[in-house]
Amino acid sequence: MNRYPLWKYAMLVVALLIGLIYTLPNFFGEAPAVQVSSGKVTVKINADVTARVEKALADAGVKPDFVHFEGSSVRARFGDTDTQIKAKDAISKALNPDPADTNYIVALNLVSRSPTWLTSLHAFPMYLGLDLRGGVHFLMQVDMKSVLSKKAEALTGDVRSLLRDKNIRHAGINRQGNEVVINFREAALREQARDVLRDKITEMQWTPTQSGEDLQLVGQLLPAAMTAAQENALKQNITTLHNRVNELAVSEPVIQQQGLDRIVVQLPGVQDTAKAKDIIGRTATLQFRLVTDVEGAPEVVMERLRDGTLKPVGLKREVYVTGDRVQTATAKMDENQRPAVGIRLDEAGGRAMKAMSRDNVGKPMAIVLYEKGKGEAISVANINTELSSDFQITGNFTTEQTTDLALLTRAGSLAAPMEIIEERTIGPSLGAENIAKGFNSVLWGFVAVAAFMCVYYMLFGVFSSLALGFNLLLLVAVLSMMQATLSLPGMAAIALVLGMAIDSNVLINERVREELRAGAAPQTAIFAGYERAFATILDSNVTTLIAGVALLAFGSGPVKGFAVVHCLGILTSMFSSVVFSRGLVNLWYGRQKKLKSVSIGTVWRPEGAATPSPEA
């Protein structure tokens, strides 16, 4: 009656082992480290950088625990903070000989102390939130006036191109604030232009006016267009910030909109605040320009060739298309199955590119990326035919090079400048204090509950306490496997889950007592107690789970963190109380042929009630 098949015990043993392995990394803590990432989007981090870091450390007499290349960055771990700072200076000096032109970002960081064998099993510790790990918090204000000004400037160019294409003569176009003013000599031309612009540029309201003898057509941004421009700028800035924060290799950064014109950036674990500000505040712009001879060129930038050397490239003055006109850039194969980069521009960018390429077939065009006021040509290619809004760049590229070029083209720039209006730094000591308090809360809560269960329910209380521990082990293991971020609300959710898990065990034990009180034999009482308690446990947990899913769907930030732990905890508590706890009871009592009693505390029976008889 109360016997598990062998496969169920095997399943529980496997779950226990997995829980132990994936929980272990959380107990090793973190060690000081130095992280090297790319300081420019045109500089790529590869295995060669690892060798350079190792050589710099060897020359400085600094011995690291290890130096790892992790895809987009190189990390070196050290035993103490003094060695960490010494190593940072040595690496920075070796990789960035010119402090005014740094190619690599060398920053202080923390990495897990987990042994290699655990890491090889992909067992990593949970990410810790800003309140537990320390780090920096920035509140950034987006300059929305600049957004509208840039939008009006772009539309001014569109108007000029459109009237030229339609061969409508005008007496001058200029921008006044967020308005576009077009002068005409004849009323008929003004009406003709108004009809064209009203159809093609719907983001503005076009009003005919008169200033002295000049007839004018004034375009004003519509409120919906202004709102859309501001929302797009905010989204583009958030995307760009994500790309930049990735350079810091921060685990689980928080970058989200706050209000209509602000962005919150939280970087857990970042110790080098100045470096974080430098990266986040960096500006970058992309330009498509024609190439001319270096001698006498208005501007000369450098092109990084495939062998790493630099070659000067002369640029003409005119900028035909900028990065904010690029909608997509992808690596692809051309019609001859050669690697190429496909670029799609928006409508206005496509018109400008078409006009420029039509007059310059056979001439070279450069894509130039500007960072910190310094330009670098990421591609120089000949224009083979008239281009439109959808064209491709071909050359003697490898597949990897086209992927890199597409990434650089997409890197783009901030849609609008931002200013840091609030900065808070949470030190690691405060995070450690929060961790200690949270850990002690969970530990002492667990001990108090386990002690009560053992005293009140005797041996069944011991089984319940073991099931509670199994639940906690599974929950931490699942959070670690998912690489979820644990914060203070998450720790509160763990404490709540422990309380809910013990509720299930109390329910089971009381059901068994009820059966014994009613005169059922011990084996029958155990079987019926678990069976009847299961339906109640399922009902109560499902309703709680629905509330947790609602929090997960509609919440954000700390609320979402609480909901993740809460939902996972409900699932693991059901498994531990129903399956694991019963497995222990079956293992202890299930094979006893003549069971006379069970150790479940005092079972009150009314006077005259029959004493249950043992059964086989």
Side-chain angles (χ1 to χ4, degrees):
M1 182 184 295
N2 292 316
R3 293 180 182 179
Y4 264 175
L6 190 59
W7 68 266
K8 273 196 177 182
Y9 284 114
M11 177 187 68
L12 289 174
V13 170
V14 169
L16 185 63
L17 287 176
I18 290 176
L20 282 172
I21 289 173
Y22 285 91
T23 299
L24 268 181
N26 297 287
F27 292 96
F28 288 97
E30 293 179 316
V34 173
Q35 174 187 296
V36 179
S37 54
S38 173
K40 297 178 179 177
V41 290
T42 52
V43 175
K44 192 177 177 184
I45 297 289
N46 52 31
D48 294 340
V49 178
T50 308
R52 294 177 64 186
V53 170
E54 288 173 337
K55 184 175 184 306
L57 293 175
D59 292 344
V62 177
K63 187 176 180 182
D65 293 343
F66 61 74
V67 180
H68 276 170
F69 169 54
E70 300 178 354
S72 61
S73 65
V74 174
R75 292 187 187 187
R77 196 179 79 182
F78 304 94
D80 53 70
T81 51
D82 290 340
T83 311
Q84 177 196 33
I85 293 171
K86 186 178 177 184
K88 184 200 170 191
D89 294 339
I91 295 170
S92 185
K93 187 176 178 182
L95 297 185
N96 297 316
D98 181 5
D101 183 19
T102 56
N103 290 326
Y104 298 94
I105 295 169
V106 183
L108 303 177
N109 211 326
L110 297 169
V111 297
S112 171
R113 292 183 191 271
S114 297
T116 314
W117 68 271
L118 276 176
T119 308
S120 63
L121 293 172
H122 296 284
F124 302 105
M126 280 182 286
Y127 291 130
L128 299 179
L130 195 66
D131 48 359
L132 296 181
R133 198 182 187 202
V136 290
H137 165 106
F138 297 119
L139 180 60
M140 313 187 78
Q141 176 86 41
V142 180
D143 184 359
M144 288 303 178
K145 288 184 179 177
S146 171
V147 173
L148 297 178
S149 174
K150 197 173 176 182
K151 181 70 178 174
E153 181 67 36
L155 289 175
T156 304
D158 294 349
V159 168
R160 189 174 285 112
S161 300
L162 196 58
L163 294 182
R164 184 174 60 234
D165 290 345
K166 298 294 181 183
N167 201 22
I168 300 175
R169 288 180 287 111
H170 56 81
I173 301 175
N174 57 73
R175 183 170 65 87
Q176 296 177 0
N178 293 334
E179 294 181 346
V180 178
V181 180
I182 313 169
N183 295 310
F184 293 93
R185 300 294 184 202
E186 300 174 20
L189 288 174
R190 184 177 66 177
E191 286 304 310
Q192 188 181 354
R194 185 187 178 193
D195 292 341
V196 170
L197 294 174
R198 193 166 49 196
D199 293 339
K200 298 292 184 182
I201 300 181
T202 56
E203 295 160 298
M204 284 191 151
Q205 181 178 8
W206 298 98
T207 309
T209 60
Q210 186 164 1
S211 174
E213 295 183 354
D214 287 338
L215 301 173
Q216 294 182 330
L217 188 60
V218 178
Q220 292 178 311
L221 276 171
L222 294 170
M226 294 169 67
T227 304
Q230 291 171 338
E231 288 177 351
N232 290 336
L234 210 56
K235 287 178 184 174
Q236 185 176 334
N237 277 16
I238 289 175
T239 303
T240 307
L241 282 175
H242 268 291
N243 294 334
R244 294 179 181 181
V245 168
N246 286 341
E247 295 175 7
L248 287 167
V250 177
S251 304
E252 295 292 307
V254 174
I255 303 172
Q256 60 189 21
Q257 179 179 345
Q258 185 178 81
L260 299 176
D261 56 358
R262 292 181 177 180
I263 298 173
V264 172
V265 179
Q266 292 183 348
L267 307 176
V270 169
Q271 296 177 306
D272 202 336
T273 310
K275 187 64 70 181
K277 287 174 68 175
D278 180 47
I279 292 173
I280 289 173
R282 198 169 65 200
T283 58
T285 54
L286 194 72
Q287 296 180 357
F288 290 74
R289 297 171 68 172
L290 286 174
V291 174
T292 185
D293 293 334
V294 173
E295 292 185 4
E299 184 180 355
V300 177
V301 298
M302 304 306 289
E303 179 190 9
R304 194 178 297 274
L305 302 178
R306 286 158 205 163
D307 58 2
T309 57
L310 298 174
K311 174 188 171 187
V313 176
L315 301 175
K316 289 191 175 180
R317 192 179 305 279
E318 293 80 8
V319 178
Y320 293 97
V321 178
T322 53
D324 54 348
R325 296 294 185 189
V326 177
Q327 292 185 326
T328 60
T330 54
K332 58 191 288 189
M333 305 298 283
D334 67 2
E335 60 277 8
N336 298 316
Q337 298 304 307
R338 294 177 303 176
V341 178
I343 297 176
R344 179 184 291 276
L345 304 175
D346 64 9
E347 186 178 352
R351 283 200 299 270
M353 181 60 72
K354 186 176 181 180
M356 182 274 288
S357 59
R358 185 171 52 220
D359 302 331
N360 295 283
V361 173
K363 297 179 181 176
M365 179 185 71
I367 303 175
V368 187
L369 187 72
Y370 286 87
E371 284 185 286
K372 297 180 181 177
K374 191 173 181 182
E376 185 170 332
I378 61 174
S379 168
V380 177
N382 284 334
I383 302 171
N384 296 323
T385 183
E386 180 180 307
L387 304 176
S388 62
S389 61
D390 195 354
F391 61 96
Q392 62 184 24
I393 299 172
T394 56
N396 191 22
F397 297 131
T398 64
T399 306
E400 184 182 1
Q401 286 166 344
T402 56
T403 305
D404 292 343
L405 183 55
L407 181 66
L408 292 174
T409 309
R410 286 198 306 267
S413 59
L414 291 173
M418 292 187 298
E419 180 187 3
I420 297 175
I421 59 173
E422 181 184 311
E423 175 187 340
R424 281 185 281 147
T425 303
I426 300 173
S429 57
L430 181 59
E433 186 180 339
N434 287 335
I435 291 175
K437 286 182 177 177
F439 181 79
N440 288 335
S441 302
V442 174
L443 175 66
W444 287 110
F446 180 87
V447 169
V449 169
F452 171 80
M453 294 296 288
C454 292
V455 170
Y456 194 70
Y457 290 110
M458 307 299 285
L459 187 56
F460 266 72
V462 175
F463 295 148
S464 300
S465 301
L466 290 174
L468 198 63
F470 182 72
N471 174 38
L472 187 59
L473 187 75
L474 276 190
L475 178 58
V476 174
V478 171
L479 288 172
S480 302
M481 290 168 76
M482 292 175 59
Q483 290 288 278
T485 300
L486 183 67
S487 57
L488 280 176
M491 296 194 88
I494 291 178
L496 177 64
V497 164
L498 285 180
M500 294 177 62
I502 207 63
D503 270 354
S504 301
N505 286 276
V506 168
L507 196 61
I508 291 169
N509 295 344
E510 287 301 325
R511 290 289 189 196
V512 175
R513 276 183 165 186
E514 282 179 9
E515 296 297 326
L516 291 173
R517 192 177 302 125
Q523 293 287 14
T524 308
I526 292 172
F527 182 82
Y530 271 98
E531 291 296 319
R532 292 178 182 175
F534 175 71
T536 310
I537 292 171
L538 183 64
D539 288 346
S540 64
N541 280 291
V542 165
T543 50
T544 313
L545 188 62
I546 290 171
V549 171
L551 283 177
L552 193 61
F554 300 107
S556 63
V559 175
K560 202 163 190 171
F562 177 90
V564 168
V565 180
H566 180 69
C567 292
L568 290 174
I570 290 172
L571 298 177
T572 55
S573 75
M574 287 182 66
F575 180 74
S576 61
S577 16
V578 175
V579 181
F580 184 77
S581 156
R582 190 168 186 177
L584 291 175
V585 172
N586 287 354
L587 196 63
W588 189 267
Y589 288 116
R591 298 186 182 277
Q592 296 186 29
K593 293 183 178 179
K594 293 186 178 180
L595 184 62
K596 296 180 179 178
S597 64
V598 293
S599 176
I600 196 169
T602 303
V603 180
W604 176 85
R605 293 188 179 85
E607 291 184 6
T611 305
S613 59
E615 60 181 353

